[in-house]
Structure formats: structure tokens, C-alpha cells
Amino acid sequence: MNSTVEVCFVCLGNICRSPLAQGVFEALVKQEELQDRIIISSAGTSHWHVGGPPDPRMQQTARQHGIHLNSRARQFQATDFKRMDLVLAMDHSNLDSLQQMRPAAELHDKLFLFRSFDPENNGDLNVPDPYYGGDKGFEAVYQMVERTCPKVLQHLQTKLAKKA
Ligand code: 4NP
């Protein structure tokens, strides 16, 4: 049987940034026919929107780029780290929350900032929270996510190759 790897994208509410990353990454993985090898999810560090759909503004931006978002918000649990190969925090605040859940030694090879994979990060490793801003914020998040996902895929392919 082929081995699998599991990735989770994590933001604060799990209704804007991480559902978009999940949707864009799912489309990319399907295009590469790797959907049987890579398990994809997203979660929030807060419980605020648990069970809810992605924000309508994020859904609309995604739809404009041919991406359908169908996740439901979930709060990340400390126990999730065990089965994950890669956990990607959308900003430093999300990273801090996740780091508080487990000893650093357990997380060093699986917990990273999403934009550490962004080829155009110019040293800025936060995906800005678009929730309280205008529509331009959602499109800016889309652009960051779209150009970063292929680099995340490369990283996971390396992990897959090591597991095979
Ligand atoms: P997200 O955005 O973390 O990208 O899902 C937010 C969604 C909701 C809230 C904050 C950020 N909120 O304050 O409810």
C-alpha cells in the first residue's frame, strides 16, 4: 500500500485563510493526481466559528478563481499533532498558539509558518487576517496562497519519498 502524508492549515477562525489554503491545495493535489497520498484539512486555534462554513467573502474570492470551498470550521486540538506530518500556521499569532500546545522538540520538523514557503515573502511571514478589512484583503490572501501552495506540495513530496 502506498504511504500517505497529512497536512493541516491553521488560522484563527478557520473561516477565511486556512479554508482557502485547504481548497487551493486540494485542487493542486487533485491536478497532480496525488489525492490518495496527501490528506488535507484545516482548523482554527479558536472555537469561535466551529461548525460554520467559510466566510462568504472568502468563498466568493475563491469562486472567482475556480475554487469551491466546502470545509466546516473545527478547532485544532493538541492531539492532532501526532498524526500530522505538516502543520502550517497562517500568522505568528497562530504559530504561538500552536507552540503552546506541545513541547518544542515534538514540533520542530512539522510546525512552520505557511509563508515560510512563499517564494515572494520578502521576509514577511504573516498571511494578513482579512476578516475586518475590505475585499482587496481577500484577493491579496488568494494571491499569497496560490503562489505558495506549489512549494508546500514540493515539501510534502520530499516527505512522501522518504516514507516510501
Ligand atoms: P481567519 O479569519 O482566522 O482567517 O478565519 C478570522 C475569522 C474570524 C475572526 C477573526 C479572524 N473573528 O474574530 O471572528
Side-chain angles (χ1 to χ4, degrees), residues 11-19 48-49 94 129-132:
C11 61
L12 176 59
N14 193 210
I15 57 168
C16 295
R17 294 165 292 175
S18 61
W48 300 336
H49 297 276
N94 312 146
D129 185 349
Y131 189 69
Y132 294 106

Side-chain angles (χ1 to χ4, degrees), residues 13-17 19-20 49 52-65 67-73 130-135 137-139:
N14 193 210
I15 57 168
C16 295
R17 294 165 292 175
L20 180 74
H49 297 276
D55 185 289
R57 298 165 294 174
M58 195 78 263
Q59 288 193 49
Q60 193 194 347
T61 300
R63 211 178 301 120
Q64 284 164 357
H65 292 279
I67 302 286
H68 176 67
L69 304 183
N70 60 8
S71 61
R72 287 292 175 271
Y131 189 69
Y132 294 106
D135 287 346
F138 288 88
E139 178 60 25

Side-chain angles (χ1 to χ4, degrees), residues 60-92:
Q60 193 194 347
T61 300
R63 211 178 301 120
Q64 284 164 357
H65 292 279
I67 302 286
H68 176 67
L69 304 183
N70 60 8
S71 61
R72 287 292 175 271
R74 179 179 83 81
Q75 186 175 24
F76 193 91
Q77 307 294 316
T79 49
D80 291 333
F81 275 119
K82 200 172 166 59
R83 71 173 192 283
M84 294 295 168
D85 297 282
L86 186 63
V87 177
L88 295 175
M90 303 310 275
D91 68 25
H92 278 95

